[in-house]
Amino acid sequence: MTVLQGESLRKYNTLYRETDSLYHMVAVRSGLSDTAFWILYAICEFGDGCLQRDICSALYVSKQTVHSAICRMEDEGYLFLEAGRGRDKHIRLTKQGEKLIEEKIAPVIEKENDVFDQMGAGNQEMLRLMEEYVRLLTAAFDMQDNR
């Protein structure tokens, strides 16, 4: 069976994989698993005390994967879980976790911000096009109810 892929799709897929690989290398250099890296990154976005379910939703990662990584980071002394309402679990950073974010995650976010600044108005157009691509692809795959 032959499936023809357009040049734009091929280029997009290559760039997507290259970006994913870049972040994997950043995580490895930081001494973190990909999931641990993204959990700490999400804590920067949501703030200390965010919920596990918010991280799962933001990362598009299963609860089991997030929970396993959180348990490892808890064992390593970077964070702890605090009971919330009902079954909610708040993720709290320890001093060691705050230091890890300051040393490993904050510099990544600073570099990302610098790159977006360098792109100027082009970054807004890129984001608009990505949103449109995801919206159209979601509709094409009939996934509206699964997100």
Side-chain angles (χ1 to χ4, degrees), residues 63 72 81 98 109-110 115 125 135 142:
K63 292 178 202 175
R72 276 192 300 281
L81 295 176
E98 289 173 1
I109 294 171
E110 288 172 12
V115 168
E125 180 64 7
R135 185 187 69 74
D142 196 26

Side-chain angles (χ1 to χ4, degrees), residues 39 42-43 46-47 49-67 70 81-91 147:
I39 288 169
I43 291 171
F46 293 117
C50 62
L51 299 173
Q52 284 189 75
R53 67 178 143 93
D54 293 334
I55 290 178
C56 293
S57 295
L59 299 181
Y60 294 91
V61 175
S62 73
K63 292 178 202 175
Q64 297 87 344
T65 300
V66 170
H67 182 71
I70 286 173
L81 295 176
E82 181 179 83
R85 280 190 287 171
R87 299 178 71 178
D88 285 346
K89 298 282 187 191
H90 295 274
I91 302 168
R147 289 186 77 201

Side-chain angles (χ1 to χ4, degrees), residues 134-147:
V134 170
R135 185 187 69 74
L136 290 170
L137 199 57
T138 300
F141 290 149
D142 196 26
M143 297 286 207
Q144 292 89 342
D145 298 332
N146 297 340
R147 289 186 77 201

Side-chain angles (χ1 to χ4, degrees), residues 26-144:
V26 168
V28 168
R29 284 183 183 174
S30 298
L32 299 166
S33 69
D34 289 359
T35 306
F37 173 85
W38 286 115
I39 288 169
L40 293 169
Y41 192 105
I43 291 171
C44 288
E45 291 180 324
F46 293 117
D48 191 30
C50 62
L51 299 173
Q52 284 189 75
R53 67 178 143 93
D54 293 334
I55 290 178
C56 293
S57 295
L59 299 181
Y60 294 91
V61 175
S62 73
K63 292 178 202 175
Q64 297 87 344
T65 300
V66 170
H67 182 71
S68 293
I70 286 173
C71 287
R72 276 192 300 281
M73 287 191 290
E74 191 173 23
D75 290 343
E76 294 166 352
Y78 296 121
L79 52 82
F80 62 94
L81 295 176
E82 181 179 83
R85 280 190 287 171
R87 299 178 71 178
D88 285 346
K89 298 282 187 191
H90 295 274
I91 302 168
R92 298 283 181 195
L93 293 169
T94 63
K95 292 291 183 201
Q96 187 179 349
E98 289 173 1
K99 184 178 177 188
L100 182 65
I101 283 179
E102 183 180 312
E103 292 175 355
K104 304 296 183 180
I105 307 301
V108 172
I109 294 171
E110 288 172 12
K111 286 179 174 93
E112 290 171 326
N113 281 321
D114 289 346
V115 168
F116 265 75
D117 288 346
Q118 290 173 38
M119 291 174 66
N123 68 34
Q124 292 304 312
E125 180 64 7
M126 177 188 69
L127 295 174
R128 186 192 69 72
L129 290 170
M130 284 298 302
E131 287 174 340
E132 180 72 358
Y133 178 73
V134 170
R135 185 187 69 74
L136 290 170
L137 199 57
T138 300
F141 290 149
D142 196 26
M143 297 286 207
Q144 292 89 342

